Amino acid sequence: MKLRPRPAALIALVLLAFTVTLTGTNAPAAADDARYSATIRRTEYGIPHISAKDYGGLGFGYGYAFAQDNLCVLASWAVTLRGERSRYFGATAKSDDPVSPVTNLASDVYYKSVADSGVVRRLLARPAPVGPSDELRRLVDGYAAGYNRYLADTGVANLPDPTCRGKAWVGPITAMDIWNNLLDLNRMVGSSQLKEAITGVGEPETEGPVKRPAAGSNGWALGREATRDGHGMLLADPHFPWNGIRRFYQVQLTIPGVLDVSGGSLYGTPVVQIGHNASVAWTHTVSHAQRFTVYRLKLAGDRTSYLVDGRAEPLGRQEVEVTLQDGTVAGHTLYTSRYGPVLAVGHTDAVAYALGDANAANLRAADEWLAMAKAKDVTQLRAAQDAHQGMSFVHTLATDAGGTAYFADSSVVPNVTDAQARRCAKPSPIPGLDAYVLDGSTSTCLWGKDRDAVVPGIFGPANQPRLTRADYVANSNNTFWMTNPSEPLTGFQRAWGMAGTELEPRPRVSLDMIDRRLSGTDGLGTPGFTLDTLQATAYAKRNYSFELMRSDLLKLCRSHPEPTASDGTRVNVREACGTLRDWDGRATLDGQGAILWREFFTRLGRPTGPEEPGFSPWRVPFDSAHPLTTPRGLKHDHPAVRQALADAVLFFQANHIPLMLTPGQAQRYSSIPLPGCTEGEGCFDRVRMRGQLGADGRYPEVDTGSSFMMAVELTPDGPHARTVLTYSQSANPASPHHTDQTVVFSRGQWVTGRFTEAEIAADPHLRTTTVHE
């Protein structure tokens, strides 16, 4: 038996036209006669506030408004989810997945296999909470209908976005497209990032670690003891992609007396993921808990089956067909097991490996967000999470008007105890998949069952890391243990992550920012947070690695003014040292020295030769007894450190790049200069570019970083919010809202949130549209 895709087969294919019948016409219908009806009010920066009398109408209004701004992105993603990218864009081109792009052929084989598996149809046949609630079903149906109505009203040939105007791949969507998108979002850090390993298309990398999405997001939930006026406050700073389907869209969704929520909603989803209502606010950060396990299968003699407890179980066989650009069809054979898809890597005549993804059949997250949006306090929000257990890969941080701060890693994690992981451990088929490779030949290695788990195989709420405080909880993608240093969380199974481990510079600067504000030592006045000081703290642009290494760097400068570069050149670094000495350590637009520091710092951990490992540049190593103050300092006498400084300065000199190059000169998005620095440097509101500094003194365009930033105070008079959507509301380059908030972000400003009827009505930019179906 071969566990690899078979050669492409050429067969005839009849293409069925995809049609959706719209019940409305271009003429407005009377509201009482409409199947769907909604009001869309847009305030400054094009932010839509959508209201309707029921869930179907709300979804309709949302789908219509979203299509006005971003139809091309969702249209392209619908092609992806249907496994049709090779047909329209070519098999070898890269897919539009902003997190884990692969070739279109690999993408198509994967998504065709998901669709053909029937997993979504089976979930839709289940009652809530495993299947969707009636409210969510109506939202999804309405959303697809609203998108389609806008498309019908406008016409493909007249779309305002030139990206997809007149394109053959643009057409109506179905509710199934939205359900598939919700499933894929939940699989984002599991099977969806392992498409090549699952399909065998594209020959997945076997010499290096499996790619994972870049860690992202900061979240603070402040309780009554941390705020000046005793109100709950929240800072949301998710670091998601700046392009494609995983962007946020800012929206308010209202059904009078039933639902009123405002915040950031990921493209193609009809719910708010990060936001607030009148009395509760919440955000998420990516958790590094385990999402999947790999099972090592012991193949039977004929290699078409595998053994479990000594009994043979047949491998499932799935034939997947993908239409190519020339109209021919490529056929691929995939295999499945009781654990999940059989990987196309690591197999021999005796063994194969299967992927068990805890989110493989998870549609619960959307209902959980919907229930959280209705919560009136942290207690109700926690109950919503316990009822649905659908958070696929994120921590939750929340606060309420009473000033209770709450943290939970309530995400979906395979129920594998430490003892079971040790007992069942098997060798990995590929680097990066070695955390939990289990013995699939015995049922004793199956995931466990918690009584309070909604579905078998995952940890229930009683086993989740959680913390409730009156001062604060915070997370910047560190594990749960330093959520609040006054009350470290320990004693959890390793599948959740490790306690006692080193904090990266970004989580450390996050906790330091809070500590300085609570002690009043940050220069912002009286201790304790107000909405103004929360905003100012979030935008401080501190580069923590520079703060921790500055004094030792200056020692290096004094003792070695002409270090040797890796090519043997002696480099005069006096001017560079003067630039770094005078820099204030903040990655502002005009931060002279910020880019020079980055280029030096990023070279510090690089190997000094082809066979040499990287090394730690920290002078004082990490000490788990002092997690907030170690590691620190710079090994200023180490040859590799001197070489890194020489190499960085030589690059600037050789390319005639000014040593005082600023972030505003070096990093941009749609030609707009941007402040900020990178993850490794220890920057709170970070940016990322896929590539190194060029000879022209520019990085490739920013593609990830702070995305939907929200600072909100929950007062007895209602929420007071400040927001900024860093890349703006519309991906359409012709839209007035393509980069308008990007300019706001560049200037270090915020947008005043409008939540109440009075706040919305007071906006001089208000535009109101009523849509019917």
Side-chain angles (χ1 to χ4, degrees):
M1 180 197 69
K2 291 185 178 180
L3 292 180
R4 300 181 61 83
R6 61 179 177 168
L10 302 180
I11 62 173
L13 179 71
V14 177
L15 298 178
L16 299 177
F18 175 79
T19 61
V20 171
T21 302
L22 297 172
T23 60
T25 66
N26 288 348
D32 290 343
D33 297 332
R35 180 165 66 113
Y36 296 123
S37 179
T39 299
I40 304 170
R41 292 178 292 176
R42 290 188 183 263
T43 52
E44 63 264 73
Y45 304 101
I47 299 169
H49 307 257
I50 300 160
S51 59
K53 64 182 181 181
D54 54 34
Y55 285 99
L58 188 65
F60 182 80
Y62 189 7
Y64 192 98
F66 180 82
Q68 289 178 307
D69 293 322
N70 295 294
L71 183 141
C72 290
V73 177
L74 186 50
S76 176
W77 191 243
V79 173
T80 300
L81 293 172
R82 297 170 189 166
E84 297 178 349
R85 296 200 66 81
S86 297
R87 172 186 174 189
Y88 291 106
F89 306 110
T92 60
K94 284 291 185 181
S95 69
D96 60 346
D97 187 330
V99 177
S100 301
V102 294
T103 66
N104 283 334
L105 183 58
S107 175
D108 289 344
V109 173
Y110 171 78
Y111 285 112
K112 284 277 191 179
S113 72
V114 174
D116 292 350
S117 74
V119 59
V120 173
R121 292 191 299 274
R122 290 193 297 274
L123 289 170
L124 293 178
R126 298 284 300 277
V130 177
S133 67
D134 290 341
E135 292 85 354
L136 181 60
R137 293 171 193 267
R138 293 197 291 271
L139 265 177
V140 168
D141 288 345
Y143 188 95
Y147 173 104
N148 291 338
R149 179 56 190 262
Y150 171 76
L151 181 61
D153 287 349
T154 308
V156 175
N158 301 313
L159 290 171
D161 189 343
T163 308
C164 68
R165 183 189 303 138
K167 301 296 185 182
W169 48 269
V170 179
I173 63 172
T174 67
M176 186 61 75
D177 292 320
I178 304 303
W179 291 120
N180 283 331
N181 181 44
L182 289 169
L183 177 68
D184 190 66
L185 172 62
N186 290 337
R187 289 180 167 200
M188 192 175 81
V189 297
S191 48
S192 190
Q193 68 160 332
L194 297 168
K195 298 181 184 74
E196 291 172 321
I198 290 171
T199 65
V201 179
E203 296 301 324
E205 181 63 57
T206 58
E207 299 299 325
V210 172
K211 296 174 290 184
R212 291 181 180 272
S217 307
N218 304 303
W220 296 351
L222 306 175
R224 54 188 172 274
E225 294 179 1
T227 61
R228 191 87 56 81
D229 296 327
H231 304 147
M233 300 178 69
L234 183 114
L235 176 68
D237 180 22
H239 298 170
F240 260 49
W242 281 32
N243 299 285
I245 197 66
R246 300 302 176 220
R247 287 183 18 146
F248 284 99
Y249 185 74
Q250 190 172 353
V251 68
Q252 182 175 3
L253 302 174
T254 304
I255 301 174
V258 176
L259 176 71
D260 197 4
V261 59
S262 181
S265 171
L266 289 169
Y267 279 23
T269 70
V271 294
V272 168
Q273 278 84 19
I274 291 176
H276 69 87
N277 57 31
S279 57
V280 179
W282 68 93
T283 188
H284 300 293
T285 62
V286 173
S287 158
H288 291 282
Q290 197 67 24
R291 304 297 162 204
F292 57 84
T293 64
V294 174
Y295 277 97
R296 187 174 187 263
L297 307 180
K298 183 178 181 180
L299 297 177
D302 60 0
R303 290 179 291 156
T304 63
S305 58
Y306 59 101
L307 301 176
V308 180
D309 297 334
R311 297 181 180 179
E313 293 189 8
L315 287 167
R317 184 183 176 101
Q318 188 180 32
E319 304 293 341
V320 176
E321 296 180 340
V322 173
T323 303
L324 305 178
Q325 252 183 329
D326 62 2
T328 61
V329 173
H332 297 265
T333 301
L334 306 181
Y335 296 90
T336 62
S337 70
R338 63 152 67 185
Y339 306 107
V342 177
L343 301 180
V345 294
H347 52 80
T348 68
D349 289 342
V351 300
Y353 293 85
L355 180 70
D357 185 348
N359 286 298
N362 177 15
L363 280 182
R364 303 183 302 278
D367 262 316
E368 188 166 332
W369 280 309
L370 191 58
M372 289 164 60
K374 300 176 189 177
K376 299 191 181 302
D377 54 31
V378 160
T379 299
Q380 291 187 10
L381 181 140
R382 176 172 179 164
Q385 294 202 311
D386 289 351
H388 296 280
Q389 300 174 30
M391 291 293 102
S392 51
F393 56 87
V394 291
H395 303 121
T396 299
L397 299 95
T399 189
D400 58 24
T404 298
Y406 169 68
F407 166 88
D409 190 343
S410 60
S411 58
V412 177
V413 176
N415 191 331
V416 180
T417 66
D418 295 350
Q420 185 183 26
R422 289 190 297 269
R423 175 172 50 81
C424 295
K426 290 295 180 181
S428 172
I430 179 173
L433 290 179
D434 51 0
Y436 284 86
V437 180
L438 307 179
D439 186 353
S441 68
T442 170
S443 58
T444 62
C445 294
L446 291 172
W447 298 344
K449 297 180 180 179
D450 281 357
R451 283 185 165 186
D452 57 347
V454 167
V455 294
I458 66 173
F459 284 114
N463 281 318
Q464 296 170 349
R466 299 191 180 199
L467 184 63
T468 301
R469 302 274 303 183
D471 52 358
Y472 73 89
V473 293
N475 187 268
S476 293
N477 305 118
N478 45 305
T479 61
F480 51 82
W481 83 291
M482 281 285 108
T483 295
N484 185 306
S486 298
E487 191 176 352
L489 291 172
T490 60
F492 297 92
Q493 302 295 324
R494 292 184 62 177
W496 294 101
M498 293 286 289
T501 53
E502 179 180 336
L503 295 182
E504 296 293 328
R506 180 164 60 88
R508 285 178 62 189
V509 76
S510 171
L511 294 171
D512 188 70
M513 290 158 64
I514 295 173
D515 181 68
R516 293 192 184 195
R517 178 80 298 270
L518 295 184
S519 63
T521 58
D522 58 359
L524 295 176
T526 306
F529 283 94
T530 64
L531 189 55
D532 287 341
T533 58
L534 180 59
Q535 293 172 240
T537 303
Y539 268 175
K541 308 296 179 188
R542 290 172 58 187
N543 187 310
Y544 204 49
S545 61
F546 179 73
E547 293 180 24
L548 294 172
M549 293 181 169
R550 183 179 186 275
S551 61
D552 285 331
L553 171 68
L554 297 181
K555 291 178 182 177
L556 183 157
C557 288
R558 290 191 293 269
S559 60
H560 298 282
E562 293 187 5
T564 302
S566 55
D567 66 355
T569 303
R570 289 184 64 83
V571 181
N572 186 331
V573 299
R574 292 178 178 87
E575 183 182 355
C577 287
T579 297
L580 292 172
R581 181 194 61 228
D582 295 339
W583 178 43
D584 66 0
R586 296 179 185 265
T588 53
L589 281 178
D590 57 356
Q592 297 181 348
I595 303 303
L596 176 60
W597 171 260
R598 181 184 305 169
E599 291 303 303
F600 164 58
F601 183 79
T602 55
R603 285 170 169 80
L604 281 177
R606 295 180 184 175
T608 55
E611 304 298 326
E612 297 293 327
F615 83 107
S616 171
W618 298 106
R619 177 172 51 82
V620 179
F622 171 69
D623 181 352
S624 60
H626 303 283
L628 302 183
T629 56
T630 61
R632 66 178 182 272
L634 176 66
K635 293 177 180 175
H636 55 88
D637 284 331
H638 198 289
V641 174
R642 299 197 298 269
Q643 179 179 298
L645 180 60
D647 284 346
V649 175
L650 184 61
F651 177 83
F652 278 74
Q653 293 174 348
N655 292 289
H656 307 289
I657 300 172
L659 293 168
M660 293 188 293
L661 182 72
T662 67
Q665 295 167 328
Q667 53 199 33
R668 304 195 170 225
Y669 178 78
S670 292
S671 300
I672 297 171
L674 293 176
C677 45
T678 60
E679 171 81 15
E681 295 173 85
C683 293
F684 185 71
D685 50 331
R686 72 180 180 110
V687 294
R688 186 187 73 178
M689 296 71 63
R690 290 185 186 270
Q692 299 179 357
L693 184 67
D696 60 352
R698 293 279 187 89
Y699 291 103
E701 189 166 272
V702 171
D703 74 337
T704 306
S706 296
S707 45
F708 174 65
M709 299 186 70
M710 179 181 72
V712 59
E713 180 179 19
L714 301 166
T715 78
D717 299 326
H720 300 159
R722 305 290 183 269
T723 65
V724 64
L725 189 62
T726 57
Y727 36 68
S728 307
Q729 282 287 87
S730 178
N732 173 11
S735 169
H737 305 302
H738 180 57
T739 57
D740 52 354
Q741 287 197 63
T742 312
V743 173
V744 173
F745 176 64
S746 174
R747 294 172 178 169
Q749 300 170 339
W750 297 76
V751 176
T752 300
R754 296 181 182 274
F755 184 77
T756 66
E757 287 297 310
E759 290 169 336
I760 296 169
D763 180 19
H765 303 91
L766 184 65
R767 294 173 291 129
T768 301
T769 305
T770 301
V771 291
H772 302 295
E773 176 76 350

PDB file of all heavy atoms in Angstrom, residues 63-75:
ATOM      1  N   GLY A  63     -23.629  40.838   6.607  1.00  0.00           N
ATOM      2  CA  GLY A  63     -23.078  40.326   5.365  1.00  0.00           C
ATOM      3  C   GLY A  63     -23.077  41.378   4.262  1.00  0.00           C
ATOM      4  O   GLY A  63     -22.127  41.469   3.471  1.00  0.00           O
ATOM      5  N   TYR A  64     -24.126  42.197   4.216  1.00  0.00           N
ATOM      6  CA  TYR A  64     -24.225  43.255   3.204  1.00  0.00           C
ATOM      7  C   TYR A  64     -23.149  44.311   3.432  1.00  0.00           C
ATOM      8  O   TYR A  64     -22.422  44.701   2.509  1.00  0.00           O
ATOM      9  CB  TYR A  64     -25.610  43.885   3.246  1.00  0.00           C
ATOM     10  CG  TYR A  64     -25.934  44.773   2.070  1.00  0.00           C
ATOM     11  CD1 TYR A  64     -26.680  44.275   1.003  1.00  0.00           C
ATOM     12  CD2 TYR A  64     -25.512  46.094   2.005  1.00  0.00           C
ATOM     13  CE1 TYR A  64     -26.993  45.071  -0.096  1.00  0.00           C
ATOM     14  CE2 TYR A  64     -25.808  46.904   0.924  1.00  0.00           C
ATOM     15  CZ  TYR A  64     -26.545  46.386  -0.123  1.00  0.00           C
ATOM     16  OH  TYR A  64     -26.839  47.177  -1.207  1.00  0.00           O
ATOM     17  N   ALA A  65     -23.013  44.774   4.692  1.00  0.00           N
ATOM     18  CA  ALA A  65     -22.021  45.801   5.005  1.00  0.00           C
ATOM     19  C   ALA A  65     -20.607  45.296   4.753  1.00  0.00           C
ATOM     20  O   ALA A  65     -19.761  46.013   4.191  1.00  0.00           O
ATOM     21  CB  ALA A  65     -22.177  46.242   6.462  1.00  0.00           C
ATOM     22  N   PHE A  66     -20.338  44.056   5.166  1.00  0.00           N
ATOM     23  CA  PHE A  66     -18.998  43.504   4.969  1.00  0.00           C
ATOM     24  C   PHE A  66     -18.678  43.403   3.482  1.00  0.00           C
ATOM     25  O   PHE A  66     -17.552  43.714   3.056  1.00  0.00           O
ATOM     26  CB  PHE A  66     -18.872  42.137   5.633  1.00  0.00           C
ATOM     27  CG  PHE A  66     -17.521  41.524   5.460  1.00  0.00           C
ATOM     28  CD1 PHE A  66     -16.478  41.889   6.290  1.00  0.00           C
ATOM     29  CD2 PHE A  66     -17.271  40.604   4.456  1.00  0.00           C
ATOM     30  CE1 PHE A  66     -15.213  41.351   6.118  1.00  0.00           C
ATOM     31  CE2 PHE A  66     -16.011  40.058   4.274  1.00  0.00           C
ATOM     32  CZ  PHE A  66     -14.975  40.434   5.110  1.00  0.00           C
ATOM     33  N   ALA A  67     -19.639  42.969   2.682  1.00  0.00           N
ATOM     34  CA  ALA A  67     -19.408  42.850   1.243  1.00  0.00           C
ATOM     35  C   ALA A  67     -19.115  44.211   0.616  1.00  0.00           C
ATOM     36  O   ALA A  67     -18.308  44.305  -0.319  1.00  0.00           O
ATOM     37  CB  ALA A  67     -20.610  42.199   0.571  1.00  0.00           C
ATOM     38  N   GLN A  68     -19.743  45.246   1.117  1.00  0.00           N
ATOM     39  CA  GLN A  68     -19.451  46.581   0.610  1.00  0.00           C
ATOM     40  C   GLN A  68     -17.974  46.920   0.745  1.00  0.00           C
ATOM     41  O   GLN A  68     -17.400  47.602  -0.095  1.00  0.00           O
ATOM     42  CB  GLN A  68     -20.284  47.626   1.359  1.00  0.00           C
ATOM     43  CG  GLN A  68     -21.767  47.608   1.019  1.00  0.00           C
ATOM     44  CD  GLN A  68     -22.533  48.645   1.830  1.00  0.00           C
ATOM     45  OE1 GLN A  68     -22.441  48.677   3.060  1.00  0.00           O
ATOM     46  NE2 GLN A  68     -23.264  49.505   1.148  1.00  0.00           N
ATOM     47  N   ASP A  69     -17.350  46.458   1.813  1.00  0.00           N
ATOM     48  CA  ASP A  69     -15.968  46.823   2.107  1.00  0.00           C
ATOM     49  C   ASP A  69     -14.952  45.781   1.663  1.00  0.00           C
ATOM     50  O   ASP A  69     -13.829  46.129   1.292  1.00  0.00           O
ATOM     51  CB  ASP A  69     -15.799  47.041   3.617  1.00  0.00           C
ATOM     52  CG  ASP A  69     -16.561  48.243   4.130  1.00  0.00           C
ATOM     53  OD1 ASP A  69     -16.600  49.261   3.417  1.00  0.00           O
ATOM     54  OD2 ASP A  69     -17.116  48.155   5.240  1.00  0.00           O
ATOM     55  N   ASN A  70     -15.311  44.502   1.711  1.00  0.00           N
ATOM     56  CA  ASN A  70     -14.286  43.453   1.585  1.00  0.00           C
ATOM     57  C   ASN A  70     -14.751  42.237   0.795  1.00  0.00           C
ATOM     58  O   ASN A  70     -14.303  41.118   1.059  1.00  0.00           O
ATOM     59  CB  ASN A  70     -13.848  43.002   2.980  1.00  0.00           C
ATOM     60  CG  ASN A  70     -13.154  44.108   3.744  1.00  0.00           C
ATOM     61  OD1 ASN A  70     -12.077  44.556   3.372  1.00  0.00           O
ATOM     62  ND2 ASN A  70     -13.774  44.557   4.831  1.00  0.00           N
ATOM     63  N   LEU A  71     -15.629  42.426  -0.170  1.00  0.00           N
ATOM     64  CA  LEU A  71     -16.163  41.284  -0.906  1.00  0.00           C
ATOM     65  C   LEU A  71     -15.066  40.454  -1.561  1.00  0.00           C
ATOM     66  O   LEU A  71     -15.112  39.223  -1.537  1.00  0.00           O
ATOM     67  CB  LEU A  71     -17.160  41.758  -1.961  1.00  0.00           C
ATOM     68  CG  LEU A  71     -17.837  40.637  -2.760  1.00  0.00           C
ATOM     69  CD1 LEU A  71     -19.308  40.950  -3.007  1.00  0.00           C
ATOM     70  CD2 LEU A  71     -17.137  40.405  -4.111  1.00  0.00           C
ATOM     71  N   CYS A  72     -14.048  41.099  -2.101  1.00  0.00           N
ATOM     72  CA  CYS A  72     -13.030  40.358  -2.850  1.00  0.00           C
ATOM     73  C   CYS A  72     -12.279  39.368  -1.968  1.00  0.00           C
ATOM     74  O   CYS A  72     -11.930  38.271  -2.419  1.00  0.00           O
ATOM     75  CB  CYS A  72     -12.046  41.322  -3.497  1.00  0.00           C
ATOM     76  SG  CYS A  72     -12.743  42.276  -4.871  1.00  0.00           S
ATOM     77  N   VAL A  73     -12.015  39.746  -0.712  1.00  0.00           N
ATOM     78  CA  VAL A  73     -11.273  38.852   0.173  1.00  0.00           C
ATOM     79  C   VAL A  73     -12.078  37.593   0.449  1.00  0.00           C
ATOM     80  O   VAL A  73     -11.567  36.474   0.380  1.00  0.00           O
ATOM     81  CB  VAL A  73     -10.916  39.568   1.489  1.00  0.00           C
ATOM     82  CG1 VAL A  73     -10.204  38.610   2.444  1.00  0.00           C
ATOM     83  CG2 VAL A  73     -10.036  40.778   1.216  1.00  0.00           C
ATOM     84  N   LEU A  74     -13.376  37.769   0.768  1.00  0.00           N
ATOM     85  CA  LEU A  74     -14.204  36.607   1.074  1.00  0.00           C
ATOM     86  C   LEU A  74     -14.493  35.790  -0.178  1.00  0.00           C
ATOM     87  O   LEU A  74     -14.563  34.552  -0.123  1.00  0.00           O
ATOM     88  CB  LEU A  74     -15.503  37.045   1.741  1.00  0.00           C
ATOM     89  CG  LEU A  74     -16.412  35.925   2.260  1.00  0.00           C
ATOM     90  CD1 LEU A  74     -15.649  34.933   3.121  1.00  0.00           C
ATOM     91  CD2 LEU A  74     -17.589  36.510   3.034  1.00  0.00           C
ATOM     92  N   ALA A  75     -14.626  36.453  -1.322  1.00  0.00           N
ATOM     93  CA  ALA A  75     -14.845  35.713  -2.572  1.00  0.00           C
ATOM     94  C   ALA A  75     -13.661  34.809  -2.878  1.00  0.00           C
ATOM     95  O   ALA A  75     -13.822  33.646  -3.278  1.00  0.00           O
ATOM     96  CB  ALA A  75     -15.079  36.688  -3.721  1.00  0.00           C
TER      97      ALA A  75
END
